[in-house]
Amino acid sequence: MFQGASAITLDAKGRMSIPAKHRDALLIQCEGRLTLTKHPDGCLLMYPRHVWETKRDQIAQWPMSARGWQRILLGNAADVEMDSAGRILVGPELREAVGLGREVVLAGMLTHFEIWDPVKRAQNEQATIEVGMPDTLSDFSF
């Protein structure tokens, strides 16, 4: 399970080093084979390839009324592999699509990761807090 956030700097080519705390697990789980895609909230999703393949098959089964969402998720998917230094290449199309610059945040979301621009992530979290807890979480205690 992946959790926690890591501040990461992309190099000039758009390569991102996977933090050591996740690198070994990803090498064991999926031999460093990952898939990136665009998320409608303005970040990138990063899945271990075998997890993405299950999601991809689910998304492919969506009805025609969800065709636009299929285009966003499937049409932007890119397979990547960690290199020997534990880096992946985040292609320019995906970086541009979600406004990633040199500084990014990699956030573990249990089965996958989100890759955010730090400012956009902070704004998203603040907007979530301002809306308040949804009723479905009314019985949840911290």
Side-chain angles (χ1 to χ4, degrees):
M1 296 295 172
F2 308 110
Q3 63 184 16
S6 300
I8 299 172
T9 302
L10 299 181
D11 71 12
K13 295 179 181 179
R15 291 178 297 196
M16 180 180 86
S17 290
I18 303 297
K21 65 182 178 182
H22 299 305
R23 189 178 309 145
D24 292 340
L26 288 170
L27 285 170
I28 291 167
Q29 272 191 28
C30 61
E31 299 174 339
R33 297 173 41 206
L34 305 161
T35 299
L36 301 174
T37 193
K38 186 174 151 184
H39 189 284
D41 283 349
C43 66
L44 295 180
L45 297 170
M46 183 175 84
Y47 284 93
R49 183 80 45 81
H50 68 282
V51 176
W52 169 251
E53 289 169 350
T54 301
K55 290 283 184 194
R56 179 196 62 202
D57 294 345
Q58 292 170 343
I59 294 166
Q61 297 301 313
W62 290 352
M64 285 300 292
S65 59
R67 192 69 166 163
W69 291 104
Q70 287 175 318
R71 285 187 188 106
I72 291 170
L73 295 164
L74 299 176
N76 288 291
D79 292 337
V80 298
E81 292 192 26
M82 279 195 294
D83 65 14
S84 59
R87 300 173 300 189
I88 61 163
L89 176 65
V90 181
E93 299 85 3
L94 286 174
R95 291 193 316 264
E96 187 175 309
V98 298
L100 293 181
R102 188 165 159 77
E103 304 300 321
V104 301
V105 174
L106 180 71
M109 301 296 293
L110 298 184
T111 61
H112 64 283
F113 297 89
E114 294 180 345
I115 304 170
W116 285 91
D117 168 82
V119 172
K120 193 180 287 188
R121 182 174 188 256
Q123 291 169 341
N124 180 278
E125 286 183 0
Q126 186 59 41
T128 299
I129 290 167
E130 288 173 6
V131 169
M133 284 259 194
D135 290 340
T136 56
L137 300 179
S138 63
D139 293 333
F140 184 78
S141 175
F142 290 98

